[in-house]
Amino acid sequence: LIKKVGSDAYAITDRGIQSINAVLDTLRKREEKQDTLWLLLFNIPERERKFRDTLRRFIMGLGWQNLHSGVWVVASERIYDMTRSTLPTAVEPFVLFFELKPADIAKTITYAWNLDTIMRQYRDFIRDSKQLLSRSHPPTSYESKKLIFRLALIVQNDPGGQLVYKKNWPQYEAFQIYSKLKKQLRSD
């Protein structure tokens, strides 16, 4: 993701830029409230451990959450589609996908994700952003971009906490601040 370009300088590689853009896309392509969760189940024999480890790293990197041994869940149709289309060929015979419908979504989200942690991350983002925006001088582009990227990481891990917490979920307020940070960047 990073390469050395001199004796004391580094640069982001094309793959690094793609990785950063993939995280930021979660802000641009935030999906509407989900009414479906997708489950991925796998049962890979011990003799094929390298495939199991490859699959686990692959799906964790995409944002799937572990429910139980060999059972993973995601709340993003985009991540589900990307997983199905880019699943390593070697593990395909060991993998099944299922959809989970509305009746069990809140219970599954609460079980799979630590929503209190995600809520705290949103609230910390909101607090830090408000402090930055209330200073007597405007934030630097770097400060704004750093906060925007931080929000993108939070959103990437948010399965839809508003389904569980309803009106108390801080995502809406975080996105209002995100709009202010973007506006400030455009004025630079």
Side-chain angles (χ1 to χ4, degrees):
L1 301 180
I2 297 175
K3 63 182 175 185
K4 195 167 186 170
V5 292
S7 62
D8 61 347
Y10 293 86
I12 300 174
T13 64
D14 289 341
R15 188 168 170 219
I17 290 171
Q18 288 174 344
S19 179
I20 290 168
N21 285 336
V23 170
L24 291 173
D25 278 348
T26 60
L27 294 176
R28 285 184 233 122
K29 298 177 183 174
R30 185 64 181 157
E31 298 168 15
E32 294 298 317
K33 183 174 158 182
Q34 292 293 323
D35 62 354
T36 305
L37 291 178
W38 290 267
L39 297 176
L40 179 154
L41 285 72
F42 67 87
N43 186 11
I44 301 176
E46 182 62 33
R47 69 181 183 282
E48 304 291 348
R49 182 180 200 99
K50 66 181 178 183
F51 293 139
R52 185 172 56 222
D53 293 342
T54 298
L55 177 63
R56 196 177 292 122
R57 281 191 299 273
F58 173 73
I59 61 179
M60 283 174 56
L62 290 176
W64 289 79
Q65 297 294 314
N66 186 262
L67 275 176
H68 194 272
S69 179
V71 181
W72 296 74
V73 63
V74 71
S76 166
E77 186 171 8
R78 185 175 48 83
I79 292 174
Y80 165 74
D81 290 340
M82 185 170 35
T83 303
R84 287 198 65 123
S85 65
T86 60
L87 190 67
T89 308
V91 299
E92 283 181 10
F94 305 106
V95 176
L96 296 172
F97 291 96
F98 296 94
E99 287 186 25
L100 187 63
K101 290 299 179 182
D104 296 317
I105 288 180
K107 182 179 175 183
T108 305
I109 286 174
T110 304
Y111 184 80
W113 282 269
N114 186 337
L115 294 179
D116 291 336
T117 298
I118 297 170
M119 182 182 278
R120 183 182 39 75
Q121 290 171 338
Y122 274 125
R123 296 217 188 283
D124 290 348
F125 166 82
I126 291 165
R127 181 199 64 229
D128 296 347
S129 297
K130 284 181 175 179
Q131 287 175 352
L132 186 74
L133 291 168
S134 67
R135 295 187 320 203
S136 60
H137 59 282
T140 66
S141 290
Y142 173 75
E143 290 170 322
S144 295
K145 289 176 183 178
K146 188 174 159 185
L147 278 171
I148 288 170
F149 191 76
R150 182 172 152 194
L151 176 61
L153 291 171
I154 297 166
V155 169
Q156 185 178 36
N157 195 40
D158 180 358
Q162 72 273 12
L163 296 172
V164 176
Y165 283 97
K166 309 292 183 218
K167 295 178 182 175
N168 293 329
W169 195 243
Q171 184 186 58
Y172 178 74
E173 185 178 359
F175 270 84
Q176 288 179 315
I177 291 172
Y178 164 65
S179 294
K180 290 177 185 177
L181 290 168
K182 269 183 38 179
K183 186 177 179 181
Q184 185 274 325
L185 277 173
R186 280 186 234 143
S187 67
D188 282 353

